[in-house]
Amino acid sequence: MPPINAVDVAIVGAGPCGLACAIAAQRAGLSVMTIDRGPIVGGIASYPTYMSFFSTAERLSIGGVPFLVATDKPTRRDALAYYRGVASHFALDVRQYETVCGIEPIVSVHGERDAESSALPPQWTLHTERRSGGAAHYAAHAVVVATGYFGRPNLLGVPGESMAHVQHGYREGHGAWHEPVVIVGGGNSAVDAALDMYRAGASVTMVHFETELDAKVKPWVRPDIMARIAEGSIAVRFASRVMSIEGDAVVIDGPEGTSRVSATQVYLMTGYLPETGLLETVGVPIDPVSGVPAHDSATMATPVPGIYLAGVIASGFDANKIFIENGRDHGDRIAAHLLARAPLSAHHPS
């Protein structure tokens, strides 16, 4: 095995909460690196092209850096530029397009480590695969899992779900002009996609297993979608479930029995599941009902020494519990916990 680069804190996930953790650790005098299988804030990059956030810019800011925009609600593009700027401002060490494929405890340190970069004794080795195909290995005293919520779609488990014209995310409606489209779901993501594709000239049908749209649909959007449904511009099949997906149609079962709805594009806006695989491999218990990994919310420490949570991964199956605005302070809790437990001789000078 080649020499291992050692740091005090390794963060898995370069989303806003992961970046906020890196800033907090750096400010605490700890050496830190952040590793992400995609680009910086890749979850936001995957949002619809013309999306605007629910939250104000101030609530999305991290590291004490003002997030200034000309409107009340920042857009996806505003956010991407902001977080890139913050990472550059703090000169964060972000390893993009590198997938953490394993974490294991260190019994004895393999290879050589850079004593200059790590003041706290390494406890974990991270094994990664780079986009180029090469492997890398890192050592860290603490590992923060901040893997977000957008890499593990909540599958329907129906025939045809893996076909090329079926997607679990939505970007924009231009390619749906004059196309029959089916959107599965009744929450904010489904509603936003339906309205955007309708305005792009698509023939849109929504399919939702409930008898009405979700109660949490944004109040400033609900009147719009309800008006489009009432006038017949957007069709909707309530109390219905997808049975299978075909090349040019979706087979659904609803109050009127089984029927086929024409669709050359299918968007399954059914949410995502937390990515807990890395946590499970190191022995962090996951509650089977809530999906919440065991942790102390005051410190974000799990029962496994040196393993921490940050961001929405700590919310389990309920992704609406933790957002950027209430997950951005997780890094401060983690840094404080690390410093409180570390010997004074190990602290880097501020």
Side-chain angles (χ1 to χ4, degrees):
M1 182 181 294
I4 293 176
N5 294 321
V7 293
D8 295 322
V9 183
I11 300 168
V12 185
C17 294
L19 297 180
C21 284
I23 295 167
Q26 194 165 283
R27 282 177 166 165
L30 302 171
S31 60
V32 56
M33 72 166 61
T34 304
I35 309 169
D36 199 292
R37 66 186 174 194
I40 186 173
V41 292
I44 293 175
S46 70
Y47 286 174
T49 304
Y50 305 109
M51 189 209 77
S52 294
F53 282 85
F54 300 178
S55 302
T56 62
E58 187 279 328
R59 291 179 176 273
L60 299 176
S61 64
I62 60 174
V65 178
F67 186 172
L68 303 177
V69 293
T71 57
D72 291 337
K73 308 289 184 182
T75 66
R76 166 185 172 275
R77 186 178 183 183
D78 291 331
L80 293 177
Y82 171 75
Y83 292 118
R84 290 196 307 266
V86 170
S88 296
H89 174 74
F90 288 102
L92 299 181
D93 181 359
V94 180
R95 312 293 174 95
Q96 300 182 107
Y97 304 104
E98 191 166 342
T99 301
V100 177
C101 49
I103 303 174
E104 61 181 7
I106 293 177
V107 178
S108 60
V109 178
H110 305 287
E112 301 175 358
R113 71 182 179 91
D114 182 356
E116 293 286 332
S117 64
S118 177
L120 302 178
Q123 300 184 93
W124 298 96
T125 299
L126 294 85
H127 305 288
T128 73
E129 292 182 359
R130 292 171 172 162
R131 180 171 52 179
S132 62
H137 310 277
Y138 306 104
H141 176 76
V143 177
V144 179
V145 177
T147 47
Y149 221 83
F150 295 102
R152 188 182 167 200
N154 191 16
L155 301 176
L156 296 180
V158 301
E161 188 170 9
S162 62
M163 297 179 73
H165 68 296
V166 180
Q167 300 183 50
H168 287 275
Y170 174 74
R171 295 300 297 272
E172 64 178 43
H174 175 76
W177 178 73
H178 284 191
E179 293 285 307
V181 174
V182 164
I183 299 172
V184 180
N188 280 300
S189 296
V191 167
D192 288 345
L195 289 169
D196 193 38
M197 281 192 278
Y198 152 69
R199 294 196 169 96
S203 175
V204 179
T205 299
M206 299 182 69
V207 177
H208 191 36
F209 72 93
E210 296 282 8
T211 57
E212 60 183 5
L213 297 176
D214 293 358
K216 293 182 180 179
V217 170
K218 294 171 286 191
W220 60 91
V221 173
R222 182 177 290 274
D224 190 0
I225 186 66
M226 296 306 295
R228 303 294 76 76
I229 292 172
E231 70 187 17
S233 298
I234 294 177
V236 63
R237 303 289 186 93
F238 285 123
S240 300
R241 292 185 179 272
V242 174
M243 306 305 293
S244 64
I245 301 171
E246 302 173 352
D248 60 356
V250 174
V251 178
I252 66 171
D253 183 55
E256 300 177 358
T258 302
S259 60
R260 295 174 78 254
V261 179
S262 294
T264 57
Q265 297 181 29
V266 180
Y267 293 86
L268 306 181
M269 313 302 287
T270 51
Y272 292 82
L273 298 173
E275 297 190 77
T276 56
L278 288 175
L279 295 170
E280 294 175 52
T281 62
V282 298
V284 176
I286 311 295
D287 185 276
V289 177
S290 68
V292 174
H295 68 286
D296 181 350
S297 60
T299 64
M300 304 309 294
T302 72
V304 179
I307 303 294
Y308 295 80
L309 308 179
V312 71
I313 190 71
S315 67
F317 299 136
D318 186 1
N320 292 316
K321 285 173 57 178
I322 298 176
F323 303 93
I324 298 171
E325 59 191 71
N326 62 353
R328 59 185 176 175
D329 66 338
H330 290 171
D332 293 324
R333 303 180 202 178
I334 294 168
H337 187 249
L338 285 170
L339 292 183
R341 295 170 61 87
L344 288 175
S345 60
H347 292 180
H348 287 296
S350 300

